[in-house]
Amino acid sequence: MIETTVKLDKILILDFGSQYTQLIARRIREQSVYCEIHPFNYNIDKIKEFNPKGLILSGGPSSVYDSNSPLCDKNIFNLNIPILGICYGMQLMSHILGGKVEHSIQREYGRATIAVKNNDGLFKNIHLNDLDVWMSHGDKVIETPEGFSILASTNNCKFAAVANFAKNLYGVQFHPEVVHTAKGQDILRNFIFSICGCKNNWNMKNFIETKIEEIKKQVGDKNIICGLSGGVDSSVAAVLIHKAVGNKLKCIFVNNGVLRHNEAEKVIRIFRDNFKIDLIYVNEEERFLNKLKDITDPEEKRKIIGNEFISVFDEEANKIESVEYLAQGTLYPDVIESISFKGPSATIKSHHNVGGLPKKMKLKLVEPFRELFKDEVRLVGKELKVPDEIVSRQPFPGPGLAIRIIGEVTKERLDILRQADHIVVDEIKKAGLYKSVWQSFAVLLPVKTVGVMGDERTYENVCAIRMVESQDGMTADWVKVPYKILGIISNRIINEVKGINRVVYDISSKPPGTIEWE
C-alpha cells in the first residue's frame, strides 16, 4: 500500500477474475484518484486499514451458484462506504443481500442498449435516455434485494443498473470501464466523486517526493545496483533513485549485441553524461553472439540471452563493494498478476522482474514503481525531465533484435536488420506517428528473392514491416499507414540497406497473430 505526504482519498477494487479489472483501476487513476486491486477474499481488517472512500466489486467468469465461485466477506456491506458492483460483482451483491440471480436464457455479450430510467446517482448529469453499453454475462439478477430501485434496463435485462440510495450500494450489469460503453467514464466519475466524495489528489509530483524520501530511508549508506536497459521502466527508475541516493546507485548496462541502432551510445550519453549517473558499461556482444550461434528456435534464443545476461550482471555486481539493494522496474500489472484471482480457480503467478535477476544474489529489492501503470511511469519520467526519446519509447523485447531475426542470429544479419529497423522508426517519427503507434519495427525473414537493381539481378533478403496500434499489448490491430509513407520506407530500405531487395507489410491482427514474429 502506498503512503504519500498528502492524505489520499482511495478506492479499493476487489478482483473476481474479470479480464477488465486492471482497466477499472486505470480509469480511476486517469481521474487522479488513487486505487488498488486486491483479491476477492481480501481480509476485512486489511480493507479497514486501507480505509477506502469507496469499494468496487469487479466482474468475473463465475456464477454465484457455482460450488467454487469466489465470494467476498459479506461484512463489507457493513462498512458504511459506497460500493459499486460490476457484472458478477452486482450479481454477488444481490445474492449476498437477499436478491435472486439466475442463468439467462438469452445471454448478452457485446454491444447492448440500456434505457436509463433514473438520472440520479450513477447517471447524474447524463442527459440521455438510451446508452450503448458493453455486456458480458450469462447470468442476471431477476429480483433485487430490499431497498433497491431500477436505474436502467435492457429488453433482456430488467435490472441493468440498480441502486440502494439509502445505503450507497450500486450495481451495473454492463462494463462502464471499457471504451465501448458510452458515458462509461462519466458513470465511474459519478461514483468516485459524487457518491464517494473523493478528491483528485493522486499525482506524480506527490509520488516522486514521497518515493525519494522512502528510498533514502530504505537504502541508507549502502550501495544499490540497477540493470539499466535503456527502456522506459529501468531508465525512469534509475533517474528517480539517483535523485534519492546519488552515486550510491550503480547502474549496469550490458551490450548483448542485439540492441538497436546506436543504443549503447545513446544510453551512455543520456545517463552518464547528462544525468551524471555512475554507469558501468559492459560490452559482451561477442560473448552473446557465440552463445546464439546456430540457434533458430525463438524460445531458446530468449533463454540463452536471459541466462547470459544474469551471468554478466552477476559478475559485474560482485565487483562492487557494499551492495545490499537491487533496483527493479516492477510495475503494478506484474504485482497484480502475482496476487490476482484468475478464472474459476486461483492461479498464482510469480511476477517477473526486469532481466529475471537471480535470487541467489540475496539483495533487498527497491521497486519504486510497484504501484504504477506504464503510462504513470511515463508521467514520472516527464516530471524528472527524462528525455522524450526514452519516456515515449515504444516497447522493445528483452531478447532484442534476436527474435526479430527469423532463423539464425549472426553479426551480418543483425547489422542488416539494425539499419532497416532504424529507417522504419525514423520515417514513422518524421510522419508524426511514433507516439500514436504501439510498436513499429522491421523483421528479417529467412527468405531470399530475386530482384533487379540497376542492370543486375539480385538474390537478397526479404524484410517485413510490422506496425500495430494497441491499448495494452493484449490485443492489437495493424496500422493503416498511408501508402506514401510505406513507399518511402520501402524505397529507403531497399536503396540504403545492402542485403535487402524486397519489403512486405504485415497486416495481421492480434489475435490470431502476435505482435512479435517469434
Side-chain angles (χ1 to χ4, degrees):
M1 187 192 310
I2 191 168
E3 296 296 340
T4 72
T5 52
V6 176
K7 181 174 170 53
L8 291 174
D9 288 343
K10 297 174 284 192
I11 298 291
L12 176 63
I13 301 167
L14 295 185
D15 178 28
F16 292 86
S18 171
Q19 61 181 317
Y20 303 128
T21 302
Q22 287 189 35
L23 194 52
I24 301 171
R26 290 174 66 87
R27 294 287 179 257
I28 294 171
R29 291 196 183 184
E30 284 169 6
Q31 303 305 313
S32 299
V33 174
Y34 185 70
C35 67
E36 286 187 12
I37 298 171
H38 288 281
F40 67 93
N41 55 359
Y42 198 51
N43 184 277
I44 190 76
D45 291 329
K46 289 184 177 179
I47 294 176
K48 291 176 182 176
E49 181 186 347
F50 185 76
N51 193 27
K53 295 276 284 188
L55 189 60
I56 294 179
L57 312 180
S58 85
S62 303
S63 167
V64 295
Y65 297 118
D66 290 345
S67 59
N68 60 347
S69 61
L71 303 174
C72 59
D73 190 324
K74 63 182 180 182
N75 289 312
I76 65 169
F77 297 103
N78 299 322
L79 292 174
N80 295 317
I81 58 172
I83 298 177
L84 170 62
I86 297 176
C87 197
Y88 176 85
M90 171 185 170
Q91 296 163 13
L92 181 63
M93 179 165 59
S94 298
H95 176 65
I96 289 174
L97 297 178
K100 290 184 180 178
V101 179
E102 70 172 18
H103 292 296
S104 179
I105 296 173
Q106 183 180 344
R107 299 181 297 174
E108 287 183 305
Y109 294 101
R111 294 186 188 278
T113 300
I114 61 170
V116 179
K117 301 177 182 298
N118 189 325
N119 288 102
D120 289 332
L122 294 176
F123 297 98
K124 181 180 178 182
N125 296 324
I126 298 176
H127 304 297
L128 292 172
N129 293 327
D130 296 316
L131 285 179
D132 289 334
V133 299
W134 192 258
M135 292 281 195
S136 182
H137 68 100
D139 288 0
K140 66 180 180 181
V141 175
I142 60 165
E143 185 179 316
T144 58
E146 185 179 347
F148 280 78
S149 56
I150 298 174
L151 299 183
S153 303
T154 71
N155 292 333
N156 178 51
C157 184
K158 180 180 179 181
F159 304 108
V162 298
N164 182 326
F165 292 109
K167 294 186 177 179
N168 259 338
L169 302 178
Y170 298 82
V172 291
Q173 186 56 70
F174 57 91
H175 289 273
E177 67 273 22
V178 303
V179 295
H180 309 294
T181 293
K183 302 294 183 180
Q185 191 72 313
D186 292 330
I187 292 168
L188 288 175
R189 265 197 295 265
N190 281 334
F191 179 71
I192 298 162
F193 297 116
S194 299
I195 296 170
C196 298
C198 288
K199 297 183 184 70
N200 53 346
N201 54 9
W202 165 246
N203 62 65
M204 294 305 104
K205 187 175 181 181
N206 291 338
F207 172 84
I208 290 168
E209 291 171 357
T210 302
K211 275 296 166 189
I212 286 174
E213 291 307 310
E214 232 177 68
I215 294 166
K216 282 180 181 176
K217 289 178 185 175
Q218 183 181 2
V219 175
D221 61 352
K222 302 299 181 184
N223 284 327
I224 174 172
I225 55 172
C226 174
L228 188 61
S229 69
V232 178
D233 305 333
S234 66
S235 297
V236 178
V239 174
L240 176 65
I241 293 167
H242 185 254
K243 276 194 169 292
V245 302
N247 283 338
K248 288 194 283 289
L249 172 68
K250 315 293 180 183
C251 287
I252 300 173
F253 175 62
V254 179
N255 184 346
N256 55 16
V258 291
L259 303 176
R260 284 177 284 193
H261 179 73
N262 287 338
E263 185 89 14
E265 294 86 346
K266 180 169 66 177
V267 170
I268 291 170
R269 170 175 53 82
I270 291 174
F271 294 97
R272 184 185 287 170
D273 301 340
N274 182 32
F275 286 107
K276 310 301 180 186
I277 289 174
D278 190 350
L279 176 66
I280 300 163
Y281 171 60
V282 190
N283 188 349
E284 292 289 359
E285 182 177 8
E286 189 175 342
R287 173 172 171 174
F288 278 84
L289 291 183
N290 285 337
K291 291 283 184 180
L292 290 168
K293 187 175 174 57
D294 298 325
I295 304 298
T296 59
D297 180 75
E299 191 56 35
E300 198 171 349
K301 291 178 188 176
R302 281 183 176 275
K303 288 177 181 175
I304 288 170
I305 292 169
N307 291 336
E308 206 59 28
F309 174 83
I310 289 170
S311 297
V312 173
F313 191 92
D314 203 10
E315 290 166 13
E316 295 301 320
N318 285 328
K319 297 175 185 177
I320 305 170
E321 296 180 357
S322 302
V323 175
E324 286 193 15
Y325 294 90
L326 169 66
Q328 292 188 163
T330 308
L331 300 186
Y332 195 40
D334 303 328
V335 178
I336 294 167
E337 283 293 324
S338 71
I339 62 172
S340 206
F341 178 79
K342 297 293 178 187
S345 63
T347 304
I348 303 301
K349 175 185 175 185
S350 298
H351 72 266
H352 59 275
N353 56 41
V354 176
L357 299 175
K359 292 180 181 178
K360 68 177 183 178
M361 295 180 78
K362 295 180 180 176
L363 299 174
K364 300 167 191 171
L365 291 179
V366 175
E367 298 174 306
F369 301 146
R370 281 179 63 84
E371 301 95 357
L372 300 190
F373 289 103
K374 187 84 166 189
D375 51 346
E376 292 172 320
V377 175
R378 294 187 197 276
L379 292 175
V380 171
K382 288 178 181 178
E383 284 280 343
L384 293 171
K385 303 292 190 292
V386 176
D388 193 59
E389 60 184 310
I390 295 288
V391 172
S392 299
R393 196 174 197 193
Q394 293 176 356
F396 186 62
L401 298 180
I403 58 168
R404 292 179 180 173
I405 290 177
I406 312 304
E408 186 183 2
V409 179
T410 65
K411 179 74 165 59
E412 180 188 9
R413 301 192 80 205
L414 279 165
D415 288 340
I416 291 171
L417 179 57
R418 239 188 294 271
Q419 291 180 67
D421 186 72
H422 175 63
I423 289 170
V424 172
V425 173
D426 185 46
E427 290 300 330
I428 288 300
K429 285 182 176 178
K430 285 179 182 176
L433 296 174
Y434 185 79
K435 291 183 182 180
S436 62
V437 172
W438 178 262
Q439 277 178 270
S440 49
F441 57 89
V443 179
L444 190 63
L445 306 186
V447 176
K448 289 192 174 185
T449 65
V450 173
V452 178
M453 296 178 131
D455 295 324
E456 295 183 4
R457 289 170 68 83
T458 61
Y459 188 61
E460 292 180 342
N461 296 282
V462 177
C463 171
I465 306 301
R466 179 72 159 148
M467 298 187 208
V468 297
E469 51 192 4
S470 176
Q471 294 294 317
D472 52 16
M474 301 301 291
T475 61
D477 196 11
W478 60 281
V479 179
K480 283 68 176 175
V481 184
Y483 293 153
K484 182 178 179 180
I485 296 171
L486 288 175
I488 292 170
I489 291 172
S490 177
N491 286 339
R492 279 196 62 189
I493 290 175
I494 292 170
N495 289 329
E496 297 175 29
V497 183
K498 189 176 180 181
I500 294 176
N501 68 357
R502 192 177 299 268
V503 175
V504 297
Y505 189 53
D506 181 352
I507 58 170
S508 310
S509 61
K510 175 187 178 181
T514 56
I515 294 177
E516 297 289 344
W517 271 48
E518 55 170 323

